Amino acid sequence: MTAGDLFSRSLSKVRALMSGSPTRVRAPSERDIERIRQQLQECAESRGGEVSTRQRAARLAETYLRLNDEGRHAFLRMIALEFGPDPARVADAHRAYQKAVGSDRQWDAEADLRAAMRSRRLRILTQFNAIPQGVKFLVDLRADLLRYLSDDPLLKPLDRELEGRLSAWFDVGFLELQRITWQSPAALLEKLVKYEAVHEIRSWDDLKNRLDSDRRCYAFFHPRMPLEPLIFVQVALVDELADNVQQLLDIEAPLADSSRASTAIFYSITSTQEGLRGVSFGNFLLKRVVEDLQRDFPRLKTFSTLSPIPGLARWASRNPAECAQVLAGADWKRLAAAGVDGPDSPHLRALLGGASDWVQDHALVRALREPLTRLAAHYLLNAKRDDKPADAVARFHLGNGARIERLNWLADTSHKGLSQSWGLMVNYLYDPDRIEANVEAFAAEGRVDAAAAVRRQGRS
């Protein structure tokens, strides 16, 4: 059997394992651990030529994919702890650099110091690029790594190096923006259904509706992952600011005339690859999509989202004193008539914790509209985590230059919408004339741009 035959067999096994084909997954024995260590050592030393490198990377990928969760953790821990820079070599190079500062040797000494600090971990990881699906393998490997990280901080150096390498490989300049349509490959459409994280796609009719002529779906792709959308956005072309996602998703609703649309509503944005956490390209996606839409639909003047507020109910349940302060000015007579007799009412505590059965009580729905909208505005404007908005979706859009334009009561009456934000959704408006100023103010001062009505609602 030739080297080429061996390589082809190895690649076939890797493809089968990555596609989810049934295989034997097991914990590693001591003998397996030593064999893995030897394989990693060979990769770190870059022995042989190009064919040897590819064979080695394919075998190592196959080994990793056959391990169970405990084995994969051990594999990554071995790379992190045993294949970093040599401390003695770094110390020697640093001393030599300090002595050379100010002399003709300084720049050579600096290069030597950089070489000493170069990690063998990166040499191992980079070799997976040599195999088909190698980039996807590394993205999935980092997804595993992130799961182990919270309980094993010794993996942090490996995660930092891998995130840095992936950030370079997934630079927005390498990404391709594509529109996804009903005529796109079936495998790609299945990925949309699988990955959609904001509003579940319930059927093929539902998916077809989201790809109809009054809708658009765009995604970023990497050339080495052609059927794996990295992030995608779903857009509705309408004639006014949307305030109800069920109406947008209604498959029975009549088709709108997209040529007359004045407003583009980004109603779902989904990042698909957990292994690319920390690698940011969502803001570039929205900018590119706006440009594409403006070219195709010159009548479009307004670009807005209809976004969930996923952290609202969870924040409220964890901050009862702050919620009570915000709700102090509520119309408690009206609330009492609807069955909520005060800030400590068990009914209200259950509601703030995410209960969803209250929506059937029309009197309660009317009584809760003002206080819960006020609480949502306060949360978006004032709740912080690390000096940034506590809500992840708010952090994304405000960081990209959007303005909090409007809060929408009972805009999402699905179980998910009611349990995470009492059915409230928010419009983030992307005003081309204010985006850059908003980005700078948010980055420098944490300043949140919001419409006057939202600011009035958020005053506690």
Side-chain angles (χ1 to χ4, degrees):
M1 185 176 291
T2 67
D5 293 333
L6 289 170
F7 178 50
S8 297
R9 286 184 59 183
S10 295
L11 290 183
S12 297
K13 290 178 182 179
V14 172
R15 289 192 188 99
L17 289 164
M18 291 190 67
S19 66
S21 301
T23 186
R24 184 162 56 98
V25 176
R26 58 185 177 83
S29 65
E30 288 298 322
R31 184 175 178 181
D32 292 330
I33 291 293
E34 286 306 313
R35 181 170 54 84
I36 291 170
R37 182 175 282 110
Q38 180 62 34
Q39 286 180 298
L40 290 171
Q41 188 65 44
E42 291 173 0
C43 280
E45 294 174 1
S46 301
R47 300 175 187 170
E50 183 180 345
V51 173
S52 297
T53 298
R54 291 189 176 192
Q55 285 180 330
R56 201 163 42 234
R59 285 198 305 270
L60 197 55
E62 180 190 350
T63 297
Y64 180 82
L65 292 170
R66 288 189 182 279
L67 294 172
N68 67 359
D69 214 46
E70 177 187 349
R72 292 184 181 190
H73 187 180
F75 182 105
L76 294 172
R77 212 168 194 271
M78 193 182 300
I79 296 177
L81 299 182
E82 299 182 23
F83 293 91
D86 180 353
R89 185 183 173 199
V90 172
D92 289 343
H94 184 258
R95 281 193 295 270
Y97 173 74
Q98 291 294 330
K99 290 180 181 178
V101 171
S103 72
D104 293 341
R105 277 276 307 151
Q106 177 175 344
W107 311 120
D108 289 337
E110 179 185 321
D112 292 341
L113 178 57
R114 279 207 195 93
M117 294 181 68
R118 192 172 300 126
S119 169
R120 293 188 299 159
R121 291 184 288 250
L122 280 180
R123 196 175 303 157
I124 293 170
L125 296 173
T126 302
Q127 290 190 28
F128 290 111
N129 256 341
I131 62 174
Q133 301 191 55
V135 172
K136 173 61 173 168
F137 171 80
L138 284 173
V139 170
D140 291 344
L141 181 144
R142 183 165 183 255
D144 287 341
L145 179 61
L146 289 170
R147 288 192 295 110
Y148 309 134
L149 197 55
S150 58
D151 295 323
D152 190 353
L154 292 176
L155 293 173
K156 284 182 179 178
L158 177 59
D159 180 57
R160 281 193 291 264
E161 288 181 332
L162 185 50
E163 181 183 347
R165 187 50 55 101
L166 290 173
S167 294
W169 291 339
F170 285 84
D171 181 272
V172 68
F174 299 133
L175 304 184
E176 299 170 356
L177 180 70
Q178 294 181 23
R179 181 184 166 198
I180 300 174
T181 71
W182 186 243
Q183 283 69 45
S184 295
L188 178 54
L189 298 182
E190 289 174 354
K191 292 286 177 62
L192 286 191
V193 176
K194 173 185 174 183
Y195 287 135
E196 169 59 31
V198 183
H199 304 294
E200 179 185 359
I201 299 174
R202 300 180 179 276
S203 65
W204 287 109
D205 285 340
D206 185 2
L207 177 62
K208 188 174 183 180
N209 179 59
R210 300 189 194 201
L211 301 175
D212 219 325
S213 62
D214 59 348
R215 299 288 188 266
R216 289 292 185 272
C217 181
Y218 295 90
F220 264 152
F221 292 85
H222 191 278
R224 297 287 298 276
M225 296 168 58
L227 286 179
E228 281 285 344
L230 308 178
I231 184 172
F232 61 90
V233 57
Q234 298 175 60
V235 187
L237 304 174
V238 295
D239 56 10
E240 61 182 352
L241 211 59
D243 63 1
N244 187 291
V245 76
Q246 269 75 41
Q247 292 176 7
L248 286 183
L249 298 177
D250 183 4
I251 62 176
E252 303 297 333
L255 200 64
D257 183 355
S258 58
S259 67
R260 302 181 65 83
S262 64
T263 304
I265 299 292
F266 307 115
Y267 64 89
S268 178
I269 302 173
T270 298
S271 295
T272 67
Q273 307 294 319
E274 177 62 19
L276 293 178
R277 187 198 302 173
V279 180
S280 178
F281 33 65
N283 54 337
F284 295 101
L285 172 69
L286 292 181
K287 290 174 183 176
R288 292 278 302 278
V289 168
V290 166
E291 292 171 0
D292 197 84
L293 291 170
Q294 285 179 316
R295 184 188 66 242
D296 292 346
F297 302 98
R299 287 175 176 261
L300 288 177
K301 303 301 179 186
T302 303
F303 299 90
S304 174
T305 75
L306 181 59
S307 296
I309 316 174
L312 178 56
R314 183 172 60 250
W315 170 84
S317 68
R318 294 175 179 176
N319 296 274
E322 190 171 349
C323 290
Q325 182 180 356
V326 175
L327 295 173
D331 186 348
W332 288 105
K333 287 185 178 180
R334 186 177 186 184
L335 284 165
V340 179
D341 54 10
D344 293 326
S345 162
H347 196 166
L348 184 58
R349 285 202 302 271
L351 175 67
L352 296 183
S356 57
D357 55 348
W358 58 274
V359 76
Q360 306 303 325
D361 185 333
H362 298 300
L364 186 57
V365 167
R366 288 193 297 272
L368 288 170
R369 177 172 184 158
E370 189 278 332
L372 291 189
T373 301
R374 183 195 305 182
L375 197 57
H378 172 85
Y379 169 70
L380 291 174
L381 293 170
N382 301 302
K384 303 294 182 185
R385 190 183 74 191
D386 300 328
D387 295 325
K388 298 294 183 184
D391 191 81
V393 175
R395 221 165 31 244
F396 173 81
H397 289 296
L398 296 172
N400 288 327
R403 176 172 80 237
I404 305 175
E405 186 66 12
R406 187 176 73 186
L407 285 158
N408 302 293
W409 177 242
L410 293 188
D412 182 3
T413 53
S414 68
H415 174 75
K416 181 179 180 181
L418 291 169
S419 62
Q420 71 181 9
S421 62
W422 319 309
L424 279 152
M425 299 186 78
V426 56
N427 298 118
Y428 294 104
L429 184 72
Y430 282 86
D431 181 347
D433 294 333
R434 299 174 66 160
I435 287 176
E436 292 304 323
N438 284 349
V439 168
E440 292 179 9
F442 183 81
E445 309 163 29
R447 193 169 74 212
V448 171
D449 190 14
V454 175
R455 292 206 175 275
R456 285 194 299 270
Q457 290 169 323
R459 292 193 187 109
S460 54

